Amino acid sequence: LRTNYRNFPMVQKVVFGKGSFDQLGEILLPVRKNADAPVVFLVDDVFEGTGLIPRIPLIFNDQIIFISAEEEPKTDQVDALVRKIKSDFSEVPSGIVGIGGGTLLDLAKAVSIMLTNKGSSAQLQGWDLVEKPAIYHLGVPTLSGTGAEVSRTTVLMGPERKLGINSDYTTFDQVVLDPDLLVGVPKVQWFYTGMDCFIHCVESLNGTYLNAFSQSYGEKALELCKEVFLGDLNEETAREKLMMASWHGGMSIAYSQVGVAHAMSYGLSYVLGVKHGIGNCLVFAHLEEFYPEGVTLFREMLAKNDINLPQKVCSKLTEAEFDTMISISLSMEPLWENALGKNWLEKIDREKLRSIYEKI
Ligand code: NAD
Ligand code: ZN
C-alpha cells in the first residue's frame, strides 16, 4: 500500500458573496506589518477609471499597479515587477493582491514568490523548485473558469516554454469571491474562460489519475457548467454558479491533472500567442476520439451560446512552427500520462498531433 500521498496546501481563507469586495480593507488590516510595508495591488487595467478603483482600500504607501491582460504572464514581466517593487519601497511589502482574471491572479502569485526567492522566475518553472515561502498573497477573481484562484500553480510564458511554478507556496493565502465583479465580462470571454473550467472537468474525470477526491469536485463543477452554459439561469445566478464551478474545477485538478486539450493548447499558445481559454476550445473541438461525450456537450454549448470558433488558425504555419508546437505539447508529460496512461508514448505520436493541429 502506498502511504506517500501528496499533502496539498489549500487556500487558507475564503469569502464568498455579492459585495464581499468591500471587506478587503478589514481583511488586510491584520496582515499589514507597518506603515512602510505596503500592500501592492496588481489590477487588470480594464478597471482603470472604473468605480472599482475607489473601492480599493489604500492606506499608508500602498500602491496600485495597472497591468494589461492582453498578453499572458511572462517570466521577464514578473522579474520586472519584482525589481520595481523592490526599488519603490524600503521594506518587503506586507502583501500582494491580484485583481482580475487568470492573468492577474497568476502574476500576483508569481510576484509574491519572487519577492522572497532569488534569481529569475524562469528558474522556478517546474514542480516544487521554490525554496522559500512567498509573501502574503490574496486573489480577487473578476473572471471565472481558470481555477487559478485555488490552484497551486502560476502559469508563465518563459524563454523556453510555457510552464507553471507549481509549489506549496504558490497557493493564495486568501481569496475574495464576489460574483458582482463578473458583471461586464464580455460574452465571448465569459464563454472561453468558462470553457477552461468545463475542459478541466472533462480532462480530470476522464484521466487515469482520477480518485474520489478529484471526482467529487470534478462532478460538481461539471454539473454547474452544464447549468451555466446549457440551462436558462438568470445572469446573477449564472455568475454565482460559474464562480463556484471554477473553484471546484480547480480543486479537482489538485490530485489529478489536465489532459490532451491542455497539452496541445500550450503548444498553440507558445507558437501563436493564442490565449489559454480560446486555445483550449480550438483544440478541444477536434478531440472527439479522446473525449467523445465531452466534445458532444461542448458542441451543444457553442450552439446554445452563439459562439463561432475562429477557423484556419494553423493554416499558415511553417514546418518549423508545427515542429515546435508538437515538441512543446509532447513535453507536457504528466498531462499525457493522465490522459492516456503510463504507456502514453505508444498511443500518440508526432504525426497524430500534426493531423489534429492541421484541422484547427
Ligand atoms: P484573462 O485574465 O487573460 O482576461 C481575459 C480578458 O478579460 C482580458 O482582456 C481582461 O482584461 C478581461 N477581463 C477580466 N475581468 C473582466 C471583467 N470583470 N470585466 C471585463 N473584462 C474583464 O483571462 P482568464 O481566462 O481568466 O485567464 C487566462 C490566464 O489564466 C492564462 O494566462 C492561463 O495560463 C492562466 N491559467 C492559470 C491557471 C492556474 O491554475 N494558475 C489555470 C488555468 C489558466
Ligand atoms: Zn486551463
Side-chain angles (χ1 to χ4, degrees):
L1 184 74
R2 230 188 103 161
T3 51
N4 58 336
Y5 296 108
R6 304 288 305 277
N7 186 6
F8 289 116
M10 304 242 258
V11 171
Q12 288 214 352
K13 289 190 156 191
V14 56
V15 179
F16 174 86
K18 275 166 69 70
S20 57
F21 185 75
D22 291 323
Q23 285 168 240
L24 204 50
E26 174 190 318
I27 290 168
L28 288 171
L29 214 50
V31 170
R32 294 178 180 279
K33 288 184 280 194
N34 62 58
D36 292 323
V39 173
V40 177
F41 298 84
L42 307 182
V43 183
D44 190 317
D45 70 1
V46 75
F47 294 109
E48 205 165 353
T50 68
L52 188 73
I53 304 310
R55 293 167 65 198
I56 295 177
L58 297 179
I59 51 174
F60 306 133
N61 57 350
D62 285 0
Q63 191 179 37
I64 295 180
I65 304 177
F66 287 109
I67 300 173
S68 164
E70 201 55 47
E71 292 188 356
E72 298 194 335
K74 298 188 176 45
T75 51
D76 50 10
Q77 180 186 17
V78 169
D79 297 345
L81 278 165
V82 169
R83 276 195 302 275
K84 172 180 164 52
I85 293 170
K86 283 184 172 166
S87 85
D88 284 357
F89 302 102
S90 58
E91 294 217 13
V92 179
S94 297
I96 301 290
V97 176
I99 303 178
T103 296
L104 267 290
L105 296 179
D106 277 359
L107 279 172
K109 289 160 131 182
V111 166
S112 71
I113 289 171
M114 296 319 297
L115 279 166
T116 54
N117 285 275
K118 289 206 188 72
S120 162
S121 50
Q123 295 165 274
L124 301 185
Q125 284 179 288
W127 279 269
D128 301 300
L129 302 173
V130 180
E131 286 181 358
K132 298 206 179 116
I135 68 165
Y136 176 93
H137 48 302
L138 184 157
V140 185
T142 66
L143 179 56
S144 289
T146 65
E149 65 277 25
V150 284
S151 70
R152 76 189 276 284
T153 188
T154 159
V155 184
L156 303 176
M157 187 71 82
E160 276 153 39
R161 55 184 183 161
K162 183 178 168 187
L163 183 64
I165 299 181
N166 299 265
S167 84
D168 283 353
Y169 303 127
T170 310
T171 316
F172 281 114
D173 297 288
Q174 166 92 51
V175 171
V176 174
L177 297 177
D178 181 346
D180 277 355
L181 300 183
L182 306 184
V183 174
V185 174
K187 185 184 148 218
V188 173
Q189 187 65 55
W190 162 271
F191 184 82
Y192 288 141
T193 301
M195 284 304 105
D196 191 19
C197 177
F198 171 70
I199 295 170
H200 287 162
C201 296
V202 173
E203 291 182 318
S204 167
L205 291 171
N206 291 286
T208 60
Y209 291 179
L210 190 70
N211 64 13
F213 180 100
S214 285
Q215 189 177 5
S216 66
Y217 286 108
E219 285 173 348
K220 187 68 205 175
L222 186 63
E223 178 192 315
L224 290 166
C225 285
K226 285 188 200 162
E227 286 185 60
V228 171
F229 293 104
L230 292 175
D232 292 298
L233 304 175
N234 66 47
E235 287 186 11
E236 189 177 322
T237 309
R239 288 193 289 269
E240 293 179 350
K241 294 213 180 204
L242 189 58
M243 198 160 241
M244 289 322 298
S246 176
W247 184 273
H248 283 83
M251 285 299 297
S252 175
I253 306 296
Y255 253 120
S256 101
Q257 247 305 346
V258 284
V260 182
H262 275 76
M264 294 194 66
S265 146
Y266 275 27
L268 205 59
S269 108
Y270 188 86
V271 171
L272 289 168
V274 175
K275 297 196 74 183
H276 186 77
I278 186 168
N280 284 343
C281 289
L282 288 169
V283 174
F284 194 72
H286 301 287
L287 298 184
E288 54 275 86
E289 124 176 41
F290 301 100
Y291 306 112
E293 289 167 20
V295 174
T296 303
L297 268 176
F298 175 67
R299 295 215 174 104
E300 287 171 33
M301 290 175 176
L302 282 172
K304 166 105 185 169
N305 295 276
D306 291 320
I307 304 289
N308 294 306
L309 288 180
Q311 306 285 323
K312 300 195 174 155
V313 175
C314 292
S315 63
K316 294 202 177 101
L317 288 181
T318 62
E319 285 300 314
E321 286 170 324
F322 270 119
D323 268 352
T324 308
M325 220 153 69
I326 294 167
S327 299
I328 297 259
S329 172
L330 287 175
S331 73
M332 311 300 296
E333 291 170 14
L335 283 65
W336 290 106
E337 188 183 283
N338 174 48
L340 305 175
K342 285 230 179 293
N343 57 345
W344 62 273
L345 272 169
E346 293 160 21
K347 299 186 180 165
I348 193 94
D349 55 28
R350 299 184 73 90
E351 287 68 46
K352 179 85 204 169
L353 293 197
R354 171 75 185 242
S355 74
I356 298 172
Y357 278 131
E358 278 173 357
K359 290 189 209 157
I360 296 172

